Amino acid sequence: MTNYQSDLLRLLNDRGYIHQLTDADALDSLATKSIIPGYIGFDATADSLHVGNLVSIMLLRRLQQAGHKPIVVMGGGTTKVGDPSGKDEVRKLLDDEGIAANIASIRTCFERFLTFGDGPTDAILVNNADWLDKLEYIPFLREVGRHFTINRMLTFDSVKLRLEREQPLTFLEFNYMILQAYDFLELSRQHDCKLQLGGSDQWGNIVNGIELGRRIDGEELFGMTTPLITKSDGSKMGKSVDGAIWLNADRLSPYDYWQFWRNTDDRDVGKFMRLFTDIELDEIAHLESMQGSDINEAKKILADAATALAHGEDAAKEAADTAQKTFEQGGAGGELPVHTVESGEISLLDALIGIGFCASKGEAKRLVAGGGARLNDEPVKDTGHVVAIADIDIKISAGKKKHGLLRKA
């Protein structure tokens, strides 16, 4: 195991974040002597980030916990181009108004994880449109573009993948790696930023920025990437059967977020605690060693801690209470999803679709016919069943993990 001297790299190493580092010794030495401003970029393609972004958010949190300065870079400029990394097709372009609305919504997520302010280690949020929108094309090509060869750009996975699959890669997207490299140059100039962090798929883009800073300004810059975070079954972190696990409560309720963590595979409990919570390492070692039914208690602790970070302590407690009432006491907690029925009557199939448990009537029919649908915990196998709702909510369930309420308007 590497013996780092700085609190920063020891913390990142001990919790499993480090995959690749540029000049680890020099970065380690610098981190022991001065505050390092470090950044990660986030494109504003949606109005919420999701669990797939969470390791990057936690990286910035760790940076601040170790006494350094996080810089959140919102891609108001690069979102207009689209990062081809890991993408099979051209991404839909947003207008300025849509991008601005997404950035405003995403900022509320970061405020849960980071302390913003004017202090030396307080986080700041910047928008790369502030400098990218001002670039003049010919001067930019002459100053920056000459440092990038087409030969090398064609070797990057984000480019090779599209070409090998004979899928279109627009000239607009081809420029993304140059613009991201330029971000690092501007952040170095404006905020003395020394470190760019990111996922393993960003390694090439990070190295480009480091080289650009050295060639143009003679600056020594650093980069670090995290390993690809996957679950023990090999699936990608951040995805569920139902889609993305959003971090904003208006996209995914704190209860559903809590349930996502509660349903963690036994083998992933320790890893996810280290990456996604502030639970002490000694306690994690104890919790991940639990066996049998005891591991379920560890999963609840993981769910509580992860939900408290994203949504606050009160929301985490309410989600845990709802889960206990729903699963352990057979009741219906207050944070369950609710589908309001105007007429007081609804077919079971429409109810399952309306509350979001099924995407189509065909899926709902298969669920009912297979015995997976229940009303007030009683199985219903009649696909033509009509639910009559009076003044008391009816609990509707799909399988063992999805529960909600049908309510008369």
Side-chain angles (χ1 to χ4, degrees), residues 180-196:
Q180 184 170 328
Y182 186 73
D183 280 349
F184 205 172
L185 182 68
E186 278 295 324
L187 290 165
S188 171
R189 290 170 173 176
Q190 295 183 28
H191 301 286
D192 195 29
C193 183
K194 298 295 185 186
L195 174 65
Q196 182 180 174

Side-chain angles (χ1 to χ4, degrees), residues 62-374:
R62 303 302 184 209
L63 190 71
Q64 191 165 53
Q65 288 174 334
H68 300 279
K69 187 178 186 67
I71 302 174
V72 178
V73 178
M74 292 308 308
T78 42
T79 298
K80 299 173 187 176
V81 176
D83 183 1
S85 300
K87 304 295 187 297
D88 290 337
E89 57 187 24
V90 179
R91 189 155 53 184
K92 179 183 177 182
L93 296 180
L94 302 175
D95 58 22
D96 288 350
E97 185 178 337
I99 291 172
N102 286 346
I103 291 175
S105 179
I106 288 171
R107 184 189 171 100
T108 62
C109 170
F110 285 108
E111 289 170 347
R112 290 281 189 192
F113 291 87
L114 302 171
T115 299
F116 287 84
D118 299 322
T121 63
D122 285 341
I124 59 173
L125 185 145
V126 299
N127 184 344
N128 66 11
D130 291 345
W131 54 84
L132 294 181
D133 283 358
K134 297 174 184 176
L135 291 175
E136 296 179 3
Y137 187 59
I138 299 300
F140 177 71
L141 290 181
R142 288 174 61 86
E143 180 189 5
V144 177
R146 63 190 178 91
H147 295 290
F148 294 80
T149 66
I150 296 296
N151 311 62
R152 188 172 181 213
M153 292 169 78
L154 289 173
T155 67
F156 285 98
D157 288 341
S158 59
V159 175
K160 282 199 304 182
L161 213 61
R162 290 275 192 92
L163 297 180
E164 288 171 359
R165 295 176 179 176
E166 298 184 353
Q167 294 165 330
L169 176 73
T170 68
F171 179 69
L172 182 67
E173 292 175 290
F174 195 59
N175 280 273
Y176 187 94
M177 63 183 74
I178 302 178
L179 295 178
Q180 184 170 328
Y182 186 73
D183 280 349
F184 205 172
L185 182 68
E186 278 295 324
L187 290 165
S188 171
R189 290 170 173 176
Q190 295 183 28
H191 301 286
D192 195 29
C193 183
K194 298 295 185 186
L195 174 65
Q196 182 180 174
L197 304 152
S200 57
D201 63 330
Q202 294 298 314
W203 179 249
N205 290 332
I206 291 172
V207 170
N208 280 337
I210 291 170
E211 292 184 357
L212 189 64
R214 176 180 57 81
R215 290 179 179 180
I216 294 182
D217 288 351
E219 287 290 332
E220 185 180 23
L221 304 176
F222 302 93
M224 193 204 95
T225 64
T226 58
L228 177 65
I229 308 300
T230 58
K231 293 183 275 190
S232 290
D233 62 6
S235 62
K236 190 175 181 181
M237 180 63 187
K239 296 289 185 180
S240 73
V241 175
D242 301 316
I245 305 300
W246 300 102
L247 299 183
N248 282 20
D250 58 350
R251 294 292 297 268
L252 185 77
S253 74
Y255 171 77
D256 288 329
Y257 189 77
W258 190 93
Q259 281 293 341
F260 169 77
W261 295 104
R262 169 63 182 82
N263 293 328
T264 295
D265 188 291
D266 294 0
R267 297 165 293 177
D268 291 327
V269 170
K271 178 172 73 171
F272 287 178
M273 283 183 173
R274 282 185 284 273
L275 291 172
F276 303 118
T277 79
D278 288 340
I279 299 172
E280 295 293 336
L281 292 175
D282 288 346
E283 185 180 355
I284 293 173
H286 166 67
L287 291 169
E288 69 179 334
S289 68
M290 290 180 170
Q291 301 293 324
S293 61
D294 289 341
I295 196 67
N296 288 324
E297 293 305 312
K299 292 180 185 181
K300 292 176 187 176
I301 292 171
L302 167 63
D304 288 345
T307 305
L309 279 178
H311 298 291
E313 296 282 353
D314 290 344
K317 185 178 185 306
E318 191 168 359
D321 289 345
T322 295
Q324 183 180 25
K325 291 175 183 176
T326 302
F327 294 101
E328 296 176 14
Q329 300 174 8
E335 279 296 294
L336 295 179
V338 175
H339 181 59
T340 302
V341 180
E342 294 291 337
S343 65
E345 283 191 355
I346 186 172
S347 74
L348 178 57
L349 301 184
D350 287 339
L352 290 166
I353 295 169
I355 204 162
F357 293 164
C358 296
S360 66
K361 284 200 174 182
E363 182 182 345
K365 283 182 179 179
R366 289 190 293 274
L367 177 71
V368 175
R374 296 190 305 281

